[in-house]
């Protein structure tokens, strides 16, 4: 089956910027996440695969030039997706290399260097979580309880894949090497490709008797309860990366990461600009002229603020240390209060007479 174009998968143009790619990936990942109602695991994996290639400049360049074949993926043209299939006779040389990420750079690096790459432990799947916070929660932070259904370590075998009471034995397929060698024909001639043993997943050992609960995976899917610490001052659109809080890897290895995407609900009174909180306060024309004290609502509660005589509409006043905490320090920003002077629209006859007298009295004599 032919793979879809990676740009089409993410819904972006070929010239999309890194920021556009990231936004498109996050949107699609949230939409298709299999743990979400209406999610689609197949499309979720397709989105992850597309982003993993396009976010890497070198892989993206190879993909733009060679398509899926340039990044080690089958494009439908051949059963294995091998861009060198059918080429041979390069002096009859038998060249040994390990494909790494399956790209052209690995081929040439191994051809000239001749060194076999060391593979790290298997890694579990990353997890995407979206949290919607209130304005105050984002300002002050909180510990957010989560219950997710994740692939986690098998409680029966503790991730060993071995039935308790049984032992490990040497892998019969790779003889304990953890790798197997395959020969493929390329433009350079026959090439030996070292691949991780599919039976033991590179460990060189297999269970004498596999775990009866996880069937040798080392993991099981179950509900997991955790608490995520949201730092004070987190902003709308921020992403928190929690290392090794994702899903466990089959057969052991390192857990994937968890990415927590934050959105913040709008507040009916406050807006935010960086570490500043902005709001408006209304005063009457008389109070603005004569001066007054008013109660101002802040995220810390009600604060009394002095409005000097002669204050004009649009004048800003600063309430220090009532804004948003800095993420990397104990300091807080300010709360900026913008004054709105209300002009009366309905006056009694007596009020009009008094204002008229004030108007006449305020005129300067030209003599």
């Amino acid at each position: 089956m032919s793979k879809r174009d990676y740009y089409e998968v993410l819904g972006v143009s070929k010239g999309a910027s890194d920021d556009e790619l990231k936004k498109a990936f996050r949107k699609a990942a949230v939409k298709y996440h299999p743990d979400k109602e209406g999610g689609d695991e197949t499309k979720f994996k397709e989105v992850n695969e597309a982003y993993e290639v396009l976010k890497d400049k070198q892989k993206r360049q190879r993909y733009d030039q060679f398509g899926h074949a340039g990044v080690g993926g089958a494009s439908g043209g051949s059963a294995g997706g091998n861009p060198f299939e059918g080429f041979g006779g390069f002096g009859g040389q038998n060249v040994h290399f390990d494909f790494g990420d399956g790209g052209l750079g690995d081929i040439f690096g191994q051809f000239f260097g001749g060194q076999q790459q060391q593979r790290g432990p298997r890694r579990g799947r990353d997890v995407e979580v979206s949290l919607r916070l209130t304005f105050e929660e984002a300002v002050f932070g909180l510990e957010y309880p989560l219950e997710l259904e994740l692939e986690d370590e098998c409680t029966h075998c503790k991730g060993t894949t071995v039935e308790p009471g049984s032992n490990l034995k040497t892998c019969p397929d790779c003889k304990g090497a953890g790798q197997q060698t395959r020969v493929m024909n390329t433009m350079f001639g026959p090439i030996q490709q070292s691949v991780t043993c599919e039976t033991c997943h590179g460990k060189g050992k297999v269970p004498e008797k596999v775990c009866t609960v996880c069937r040798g995976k080392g993991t099981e899917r179950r509900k997991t309860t955790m608490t995520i610490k949201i730092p004070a001052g987190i902003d709308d659109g921020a992403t928190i990366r929690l290392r090794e809080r994702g899903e466990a890897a089959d057969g052991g290895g390192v857990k994937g990461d968890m990415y927590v995407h934050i959105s913040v609900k709008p507040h009916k009174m406050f807006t935010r600009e960086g570490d500043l909180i902005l709001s408006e306060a209304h005063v009457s024309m008389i109070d603005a002229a004569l001066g007054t004290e008013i109660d101002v609502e802040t995220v810390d509660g009600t604060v009394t603020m002095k409005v000097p005589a002669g204050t004009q509409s649009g004048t800003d006043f600063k309430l220090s240390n009532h804004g948003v905490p800095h993420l990397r320090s104990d300091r807080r920003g300010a709360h900026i209060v913008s004054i709105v002077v209300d002009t009366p629209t309905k006056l009694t006859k007596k009020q009009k007479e008094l204002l008229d007298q004030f108007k006449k009295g305020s005129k300067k004599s030209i003599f």
Side-chain angles (χ1 to χ4, degrees):
M1 182 182 294
S2 297
K3 286 190 177 183
R4 291 173 61 201
D5 179 80
Y6 285 154
Y7 294 99
E8 179 184 341
V9 169
L10 294 178
V12 297
S13 65
K14 194 170 183 179
S17 66
D18 292 345
D19 189 52
E20 289 173 330
L21 285 173
K22 185 183 295 184
K23 288 181 179 178
F25 166 69
R26 284 174 50 183
K27 181 178 179 181
V30 171
K31 179 179 179 181
Y32 295 123
H33 197 285
D35 290 337
K36 177 183 175 184
E37 185 177 354
D40 188 319
E41 185 171 3
T42 300
K43 289 185 178 179
F44 181 80
K45 290 180 178 178
E46 187 180 42
V47 166
N48 270 282
E49 179 181 330
Y51 184 62
E52 284 297 314
V53 170
L54 297 184
K55 74 176 182 179
D56 186 295
K57 290 184 178 180
Q58 292 183 343
K59 290 183 182 179
R60 184 175 180 180
Q61 183 178 2
R62 296 200 301 265
Y63 176 76
D64 289 344
Q65 186 174 0
F66 300 104
H68 292 289
V71 289
S75 60
S78 63
N82 174 19
F84 301 112
E85 193 66 44
F87 291 90
F90 191 72
Q93 297 185 65
N94 192 7
V95 186
H96 180 275
F97 67 91
D98 184 16
F99 266 103
D101 71 354
L104 296 176
D106 288 320
I107 293 175
F108 287 105
Q110 292 297 336
F111 178 69
F112 290 108
Q115 295 297 317
Q116 182 174 312
Q117 296 180 358
Q118 296 297 318
R119 294 182 181 273
R122 291 164 62 84
R123 189 173 180 277
R125 189 168 67 90
D126 292 338
V127 175
E128 305 270 342
V129 177
S130 294
L131 299 184
R132 189 162 175 79
L133 309 179
T134 65
F135 189 90
E136 289 82 1
E137 286 173 338
V139 170
F140 295 112
L142 76 158
E143 291 189 349
Y144 199 105
L146 272 183
E147 185 177 86
L148 302 173
E149 189 172 280
L150 299 175
E151 199 74 22
D152 209 344
E153 182 181 89
C154 176
T155 53
H156 186 62
C157 69
K158 309 302 181 186
T160 64
T161 74
V162 182
E163 180 67 16
S166 182
N167 296 311
L168 291 168
K169 64 179 181 180
T170 301
C171 176
D173 291 338
C174 68
K175 311 304 180 187
Q179 291 187 328
Q180 295 173 307
T181 301
R182 296 175 181 172
V183 179
M184 57 185 289
N185 293 320
T186 74
M187 67 174 68
F188 309 112
I191 295 179
Q192 291 184 14
Q193 175 189 2
S194 293
V195 296
T196 301
C197 177
E198 295 179 358
T199 303
C200 66
H201 303 296
K203 295 182 177 181
K205 300 282 187 178
V206 293
E208 289 178 345
K209 184 179 180 182
V210 299
C211 174
T212 54
V213 173
C214 68
R215 305 298 180 187
K217 287 178 61 181
T219 64
E220 58 180 333
R221 197 162 192 83
R222 65 173 183 270
K223 285 187 178 180
T224 302
T225 302
M226 65 181 70
T227 300
I228 298 176
K229 186 174 182 180
I230 307 298
I234 195 78
D235 205 351
D236 183 61
T239 295
I240 302 172
R241 180 185 181 185
L242 302 174
R243 295 183 182 276
E244 297 185 27
R245 296 290 294 275
E247 294 196 333
D250 291 353
V254 181
K255 277 190 174 184
D257 297 334
M258 178 177 289
Y259 293 87
V260 183
H261 305 302
I262 301 296
S263 64
V264 181
K265 299 176 185 176
H267 196 280
K268 63 180 180 179
M269 294 176 58
F270 308 136
T271 56
R272 175 178 174 178
E273 288 185 6
D275 62 355
L276 298 177
I277 293 177
L278 313 177
S279 68
E280 292 182 343
H282 290 252
V283 296
S284 69
M285 180 180 67
I286 302 302
D287 285 337
L290 300 178
T292 187
E293 287 188 348
I294 60 173
D295 289 336
V296 176
E297 291 299 321
T298 73
V299 291
D300 300 301
T302 304
V303 174
T304 300
M305 185 182 79
K306 184 177 181 180
V307 179
T311 295
Q312 302 297 304
S313 190
T315 302
D316 291 335
F317 292 92
K318 178 180 177 182
L319 300 175
S320 298
N321 298 316
H322 286 289
V324 180
H326 294 268
L327 282 172
R328 295 177 177 83
S329 74
D330 296 330
R331 295 183 298 114
R332 289 181 64 177
H335 184 139
I336 305 299
V337 182
S338 183
I339 295 298
V340 178
V341 178
D342 294 326
T343 303
T345 56
K346 294 181 180 180
L347 298 171
T348 65
K349 183 178 179 181
K350 181 64 175 177
Q351 289 172 330
K352 289 181 180 179
E353 289 174 354
L354 291 172
L355 286 174
D356 190 52
Q357 291 176 19
F358 173 78
K359 178 181 177 181
K360 290 177 180 178
S362 64
K363 289 182 178 179
K364 294 181 179 180
S365 174
I366 60 175
F367 302 104

